[in-house]
Structures are given as C-alpha cells and as structure tokens.
RNA sequence: GGCCCGUUCGUCUAGGGGUUAGGACGCGUCCCUUUCACGGAUGAAACACGAGUUCGAUUCUCGUACGGGCUACCA
C-alpha cells in the first residue's frame, strides 16, 4: 500500500525568506507534485523573541510570486491539520512532552540559563566545551538527580523548568538520507537538547517532530544545516514510538556566496550587487532596505529555473525548464551533495532567455505603463500606441536582459537626439557628403511607402547615384537620426519613426553639421 | 577545538573502472552585419593530493589537505 506523499516547507518568520529558502520550498513543491502529493506551508514561530512583523506575509507573497503554491497552510486556505502556525498549536506540544516524561525518555531540568552559561564559558576557557549530556546531567539540577518530592515541589512552585531529552548512552544513531546515504552519530556526541522551553513553548526539535507526525509528513526535505540535528529527531521519533511512520530525510546542499567562501547570507546580496531575496524587503526595525528579484524585473520563471538547477541537475543537458517540466523531471536522487555557489551572471542569462519568449504584446503593455508612470506620456501620444510599440519591441528585445533596459537602449526611438556622436562625425564626415544628404532628404520627401525595405532601397540608390558606397554614409545617417553610432536596425528605426520624424531629425542634424539645405 | 557533510573547467554541472572527460554561463577568436545585439562556428579552461585495490583508476577504499555546516531555553 502506498501512502500519499506529503511534504512541508517550514520557515520561521524571523525575516524575509531568502533564495536558499525559496529553493528548499521549490524542491519540496516539485517533489510533491511529481508524486501527486501534498505540499504544506507551516510557520515555525516557536521563538517569540525573534518574531518579525511582516515576515509571514512576505513568505506567502514570495511563494505566490514564484508559483510555488501549497495545498495547505498559512495563507493558503489551511486544511485538515489546521492550525499551521506553531504558536497556535502550543497546547499540543506540552502533551507530547509530558508523554516523553512519563515514558522516561525525557526529564525536567531546573538549571538556569545563567548557570549553564557560566559552565560553558568555564569549559571554553580550558579549550573544552560543555554539553548537557549523559555524564553532566548527573551533576546538574534535574528530575534525575532530585528526589521525586523535590521535583514535584519545584514543578508546583513558580520555578522555571525545561524538559530535556534523555539521550541514551553509547549507541550509534543512524539517519538514512536520500541524498547522502547513511549518516551516523554516536550518542556520546549528542546533548540532551531542550524540547520544551521555560516560556511554555516547544523548541524547534519537538514541534517539528510532533507536527510532522500529526500532519502525516512522509518526506522531510530541508537544508543541510539541519543534518547535525537529524539524529536527534530520529531519537525523538523512536522515543514516541513512531519509528514506523518516521518520514524519510533529504538534506539539501547549501547555497554558497559567489565569491569567497561561506553560505549565502542575507547580508551578501546588495553588497555584491545582486538580490538575495525574491521580493524587496524593508526591515521594520531599522528601515534598512534589501532589493528583490521581482523589483529588479527578473521573471519568476527565470528565477525558479535558475534556482532549480542550483543543486539539482537532470541526466541530460537540458537547462531551460518550465515549472511543469521541472515537476516531470525532478528527483531527490539527482540532487547534488556539495554546496553550490550562486552565479548572478547566469541568472541574468536566464532572464534574457525568458524575455525573448515573451510575446511582443505583453512587453508592449509593460512598456506602456512605464511610459505613463515614469515619463508622463498621455494615452493619445503616438509613442503609446500599439502601432508604434509593436514595431519598437522587436528592434529592442534581442538586445536586453531586462524590460527596463529597452527604454535605456532605445531612448532615441522615443526622443529626438540632443547631441551627436562627434567621434563618428569627425571620422566619417566629408564635405562632399553634403550633396548626398540633400539628395536623400529630397528622395525621402517624395517617398510614399516609408517602410524599412523602401527606405533602404532609396538610401542605396541615392548613395550610388552620388558616387558613394552606401557604407560610407550609413553610419552618419544613423548618427543623424539617433545621435549615436550604434543601435537597432537602422531602416527598421526609420520605419518606426515615420517619414515626418525622419525628415525632421535629418534636417536638424544637417543644420548642426553645417549643411546648407538649399545649396 | 569536537562532531557531521562535501571536493570534475572561474561558476553551475554531465559522466563513470579503459572517454579526444560532454553541456551551459562567463571569457577569447572568426563568420554574419554599416554599428551594436542576436545567431552560427571555434578556442582557452577541470577530475585537490597521496597511498591501496586492479592489467588499468577521474570513477572503488583509506588517509591527507582544503571547503562547508552544526556545536542556544534560535530556527
């Protein structure tokens, strides 16, 4: 009998989700969809001190932007296992912690944080380290060393306590990881982790295991930073007697920063010139702003395509993947073991690729709204008409990686040049060319079908009849029309600008260069 | 420090006991083009090191080095 695949993405709302988190969500989503399973969003907000307002909304919006849609969860209509916010499940965890106490797998500990900190610093001073474990717990203040009466007294009083897992002595704990194979850790290396905090909230370890069990999670797919605590989680499943329904684990390689070493951190992005966040984020406390892929005009499909390939790769050479194709081809077995350095350049290339795939009409609509909001063009401006934009876009879209670059690259299509590239003019201009441009002006004035084919034909004929090779005057013509020596297809530009505009620009340029129009 | 994980071109990676070690981004050159871009062609560029197993290791094993992660009443 096969049980339904159920996976979860379980971020903690301590700030914006960064791209590593998005990738984890993506892999969970792909895996679930591939197997016809469920993908759940659970908010792990058991640490109330680290709660950041807006972070949860950010996570939800980011997933939506990426097209990573949970079946159940906070912000996505909940579901049969609601609530999906751990702070709202508070009562559940105490019960399970008590169950562990009753079965002897956990115990109460009364040591204060201060006392433990002192122990830690003392041990560090002698280049050692302190762990609350099978050895040290015998000397500390807990229900193992205290009498039953004393323990009860402390529990019923106002004294703060935590519940710790009683890690067994001298045993190897094995974690079967889909990506890494068998990973084992000896219990002497583990410590008696706190499961239940003195503020009445569970720690991640308890909450995560209890919720995964309750929500019938079959596969835990998360970042490699969790690998060291995986044995603890295995121990927890065993202590609860849930080993037979324990999820399978897959620990994903980390995303590394492009330069130097270390994992990609929230601080790297804008420092190195690329966003680390899917969406822009303004820190509510400091007002510090971090850029986002969405606002930088990356397409979500480019972003997710790039992310999917950072740590996973199909057996072939295919690199352009739609979400549907990713779902089709994805498998955890083909996720790499080693960390992947993020490459901002390749991300731009993906964007360029997807931009070319956009229908011109879609790009035209986007441009239109930018022209309206940023350039204050009115709706009846001829440059706002489809007629104009649908001709301009094919000239521009092959030359840019982002939509806004079309306006930078093609500025001269919108506005008359105010100055002319002097380098080109002084290099190419000869007084003898004046006659040619006068003739060209005249020929264009008499041309009725002012399209790219005709304008080019006329241009060439005029050049030849003036004893010139077209190439001698072509770049000058370009500078006269656009002000610059390079740019979009010249006669395509002429057609786009239209007869009147071309004649006007030509006249203005000739006046600047000093050609007598009527000579 | 301890524990755990990893290591193929600069980067993402394919491959896998015998290969001219393949692709993509980026970079160089050439072609196309009046220019730029696109496109096409092409070039430079990698199996961390040392042992072992083997007729043969980049591939398997072990060590070393290097990199990373974890080491909280954070997740």
């Amino acid at each position: 009998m096969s049980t339904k695949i159920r996976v979860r993405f379980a971020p903690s709302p301590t700030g914006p989700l960064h791209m590593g988190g998005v990738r984890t969500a993506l892999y969970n989503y792909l895996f679930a969809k591939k197997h016809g399973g469920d993908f759940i969003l659970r908010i792990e907000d058991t640490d109330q001190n680290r709660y950041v307002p807006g972070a949860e909304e950010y996570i939800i919006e980011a997933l939506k932007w990426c097209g990573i849609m949970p079946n159940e969860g906070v912000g996505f209509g909940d579901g049969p296992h609601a609530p999906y916010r751990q702070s709202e499940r508070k009562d559940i965890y105490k019960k399970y912690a008590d169950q562990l106490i009753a079965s002897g797998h956990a115990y109460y500990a009364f040591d204060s944080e201060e006392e433990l900190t002192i122990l830690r610093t003392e041990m560090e001073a002698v280049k050692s380290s302190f762990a609350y474990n099978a050895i040290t717990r015998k000397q500390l203040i807990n229900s193992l060393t205290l009498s039953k009466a004393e323990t009860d007294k402390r529990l019923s009083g106002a004294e703060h306590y935590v519940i710790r897992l009683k890690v067994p002595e001298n045993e190897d704990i094995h974690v079967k990881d889909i990506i890494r194979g068998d990973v084992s850790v000896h219990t002497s290396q583990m410590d008696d982790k706190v499961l239940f905090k003195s503020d009445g909230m569970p720690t991640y370890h308890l909450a995560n295991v209890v919720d995964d069990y309750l929500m019938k999670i079959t596969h835990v797919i998360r970042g490699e930073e969790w690998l060291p605590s995986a044995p603890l989680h295995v121990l927890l499943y065993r202590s609860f007697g849930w080993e037979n329904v324990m999820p399978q684990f897959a620990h994903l390689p980390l995303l590394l920063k492009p330069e130097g070493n270390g994992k990609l951190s929230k601080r790297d992005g804008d420092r190195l010139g690329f966003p680390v966040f899917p969406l822009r984020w303004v820190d509510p406390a400091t007002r510090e702003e971090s850029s986002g892929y969405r606002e930088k005009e990356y397409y979500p499909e480019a972003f997710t395509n790039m992310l999917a390939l950072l740590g996973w790769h199909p057996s072939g050479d295919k690199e352009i993947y739609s979400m549907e194709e990713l779902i089709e081809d994805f498998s955890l077995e083909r996720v790499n073991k080693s960390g992947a350095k993020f490459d901002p350049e390749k991300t731009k290339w993906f964007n360029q690729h997807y931009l070319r795939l956009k229908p011109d009409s879609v790009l035209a609509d986007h441009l239109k709204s930018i022209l309206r909001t940023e350039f204050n063009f009115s709706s009846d401006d001829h440059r706002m008409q489809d007629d104009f934009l649908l001709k301009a876009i094919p000239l521009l879209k092959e030359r840019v990686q982002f939509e806004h670059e079309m306006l930078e690259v093609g500025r001269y299509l919108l506005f008359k040049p105010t100055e002319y590239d002097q380098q080109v003019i002084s290099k190419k201009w000869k007084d003898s060319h004046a006659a040619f441009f006068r003739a060209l002006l005249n020929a264009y004035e008499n041309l009725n079908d002012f399209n790219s084919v005709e304008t080019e034909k006329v241009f060439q004929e005029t050049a030849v009849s003036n004893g010139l090779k077209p190439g001698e005057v072509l770049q000058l013509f370009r500078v006269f029309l656009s002000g610059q020596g390079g740019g979009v297809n010249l006669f395509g530009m002429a057609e786009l600008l239209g007869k009147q505009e071309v004649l006007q620009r030509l006249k203005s340029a000739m006046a600047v260069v000093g050609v007598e129009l009527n000579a």
Side-chain angles (χ1 to χ4, degrees):
Chain A
M1 182 199 118
S2 68
T3 48
K4 187 171 197 186
I5 299 286
R6 284 173 61 81
V7 298
R8 83 297 194 281
F9 177 55
S12 119
T14 53
L17 188 60
H18 89 344
M19 52 196 291
V22 176
R23 191 197 56 171
T24 302
L26 176 64
Y27 284 12
N28 271 282
Y29 173 80
L30 295 176
F31 182 75
K33 295 298 143 189
K34 164 93 184 180
H35 298 284
D38 295 329
F39 170 57
I40 294 159
L41 174 65
R42 188 171 70 215
I43 299 293
E44 310 230 326
D45 55 350
T46 51
D47 185 357
Q48 320 201 288
N49 301 322
R50 297 211 310 158
Y51 174 78
V52 173
E56 189 180 299
E57 291 75 11
Y58 182 100
I59 291 165
I60 293 164
E61 199 183 340
L63 292 180
K64 283 182 178 164
W65 181 67
C66 294
I68 301 169
M69 306 298 272
N71 301 76
E72 303 167 19
V74 177
F76 293 90
D78 282 352
H81 300 280
Y84 292 84
R85 201 180 277 116
Q86 289 184 329
S87 58
E88 294 170 16
R89 302 170 64 79
K90 199 172 164 182
D91 298 340
I92 298 172
Y93 309 113
K94 182 63 169 56
K95 193 183 102 191
Y96 285 99
D98 289 343
Q99 183 184 320
L100 254 22
I101 295 265
S103 63
H105 292 290
Y107 59 90
Y108 298 109
F110 302 98
D111 320 270
S112 72
E113 273 187 271
E114 294 72 30
E115 289 164 346
L116 294 177
T117 306
I118 290 168
L119 285 171
R120 272 192 194 95
T121 42
E122 277 174 0
M123 291 302 278
E124 271 164 31
V126 292
K127 289 242 189 291
S128 187
S129 61
F130 167 79
Y132 209 116
N133 59 24
I135 296 163
T136 58
R137 68 183 169 225
K138 289 168 189 156
Q139 273 95 254
L140 292 156
I141 312 160
N142 52 55
S143 57
L144 268 18
T145 56
L146 262 25
S147 68
K148 174 91 170 62
E150 175 65 17
T151 298
D152 288 345
K153 195 179 132 205
R154 289 182 183 237
L155 287 176
S156 55
E159 187 157 357
H160 284 237
Y161 67 91
V162 300
I163 296 175
R164 286 181 183 272
L165 182 70
K166 190 179 171 191
V167 174
E169 284 182 67
N170 202 253
E171 219 184 297
D172 273 316
I173 306 295
H174 290 262
V175 179
K176 268 202 218 87
D177 188 280
I178 295 171
I179 296 167
R180 287 154 212 284
D182 183 86
V183 176
S184 74
V185 175
H186 194 84
T187 50
S188 63
Q189 302 300 329
M190 299 169 64
D191 58 349
D192 290 356
K193 278 272 179 291
V194 170
L195 302 178
F196 201 83
K197 301 185 271 187
S198 58
D199 66 357
M201 283 292 241
T203 59
Y204 167 84
H205 304 294
L206 208 225
N208 149 272
V209 166
V210 167
D211 282 346
D212 284 347
Y213 168 75
L214 258 17
M215 294 181 181
K216 300 188 170 6
I217 298 303
T218 58
H219 298 260
V220 169
I221 303 166
R222 75 231 300 190
E224 191 185 352
E225 69 268 28
W226 292 110
L227 193 53
S229 53
L232 172 78
H233 301 155
V234 169
L235 217 41
L236 234 21
Y237 280 101
R238 192 198 292 178
S239 304
F240 279 120
W242 299 337
E243 241 183 333
N244 56 326
V245 291
M246 181 169 74
Q248 288 190 259
F249 294 98
H251 288 94
L252 269 20
L254 264 11
L255 252 37
L256 275 16
K257 57 184 82 179
E259 287 157 20
N261 304 316
K263 75 170 170 178
L264 188 64
S265 84
K266 300 188 169 185
R267 273 139 262 119
D268 291 323
D270 292 315
R271 183 173 62 80
L272 296 167
F274 60 88
V276 269
F277 299 113
L279 319 176
R280 194 179 81 106
W281 169 258
V282 179
D283 187 294
T286 63
R287 306 312 299 168
E288 191 190 346
E289 187 179 325
S290 307
S291 67
Y293 282 88
R294 183 179 64 183
E295 289 73 16
K296 293 268 187 192
E297 276 194 359
Y298 285 83
Y299 298 116
E301 57 268 43
F303 184 59
T304 50
N305 194 157
M306 173 280 293
L307 236 28
L309 259 12
L310 226 44
W312 170 83
H313 203 279
S315 56
D317 289 334
K318 180 169 169 171
E319 292 206 291
I320 298 299
Y321 268 97
S322 68
M323 195 66 96
E324 291 68 33
E325 292 169 322
L326 284 172
I327 291 167
E328 179 65 28
D329 283 6
F330 186 77
S331 78
L332 286 174
E333 286 74 18
R334 291 199 63 86
V335 171
N336 283 96
K337 294 181 181 70
S338 49
K341 278 190 185 177
F342 166 68
D343 181 359
E345 288 308 311
K346 189 149 187 179
T347 312
K348 289 181 189 164
W349 175 80
F350 274 111
N351 208 68
Q352 177 181 27
H353 177 87
Y354 283 100
L355 185 142
R356 296 217 183 105
L357 260 32
K358 295 280 174 192
D360 292 351
S361 60
V362 169
L363 297 178
D365 287 344
H366 291 177
L367 241 40
K368 220 179 278 182
S369 71
I370 297 173
L371 291 174
R372 181 176 345 213
T373 56
E374 289 179 31
F375 292 83
N376 286 315
F377 281 18
S378 73
S379 301
D380 52 5
D381 191 304
H382 79 280
R383 294 164 297 186
M384 290 282 278
Q385 310 311 312
D386 282 346
D387 181 44
F388 179 87
L389 291 172
L390 257 21
K391 273 183 190 170
I393 282 161
L395 297 174
L396 295 168
K397 77 192 283 194
E398 299 294 316
R399 332 173 65 82
V400 298
Q401 294 179 309
F402 299 93
E403 289 188 24
H404 64 261
E405 289 175 347
M406 290 198 286
L407 292 171
E408 294 149 25
V409 164
R411 198 179 167 77
Y412 50 81
L413 299 179
L414 262 16
F415 303 103
K416 294 184 202 322
T418 51
E419 49 193 51
Y420 302 91
D421 187 326
Q422 282 308 313
Q423 274 203 317
V424 175
I425 291 180
S426 58
K427 192 171 143 202
K428 299 269 185 177
W429 177 260
K430 294 193 186 98
D431 288 340
S432 58
H433 292 152
F436 163 77
F437 280 102
R438 277 194 298 268
L440 183 67
L441 195 55
N442 195 267
Y444 278 172
E445 264 168 356
N446 294 317
L447 181 61
N448 291 321
D449 289 336
F450 205 83
N451 58 45
S452 62
V453 176
E454 291 300 317
T455 50
E456 181 163 14
K457 203 172 110 196
V458 167
F459 184 91
Q460 284 177 344
E461 286 166 1
T462 309
V464 170
S465 63
N466 278 269
L468 293 167
K469 280 191 285 187
E472 287 181 67
V473 278
L474 241 150
Q475 204 181 5
L476 282 168
F477 182 42
R478 172 185 289 286
V479 173
F480 288 172
L481 288 189
S482 72
Q484 48 191 74
V488 304
N489 178 278
L490 183 49
F491 295 101
M493 168 164 71
E495 176 179 334
L496 173 74
L497 293 174
K499 183 169 167 175
Q500 292 315 314
E501 181 74 12
V502 167
L503 293 176
Q504 267 184 35
R505 290 192 183 191
L506 207 44
K507 283 178 192 165
S508 308
M510 286 160 74
V512 168
V513 181
V515 180
E516 294 289 329
L517 292 176
N518 301 312

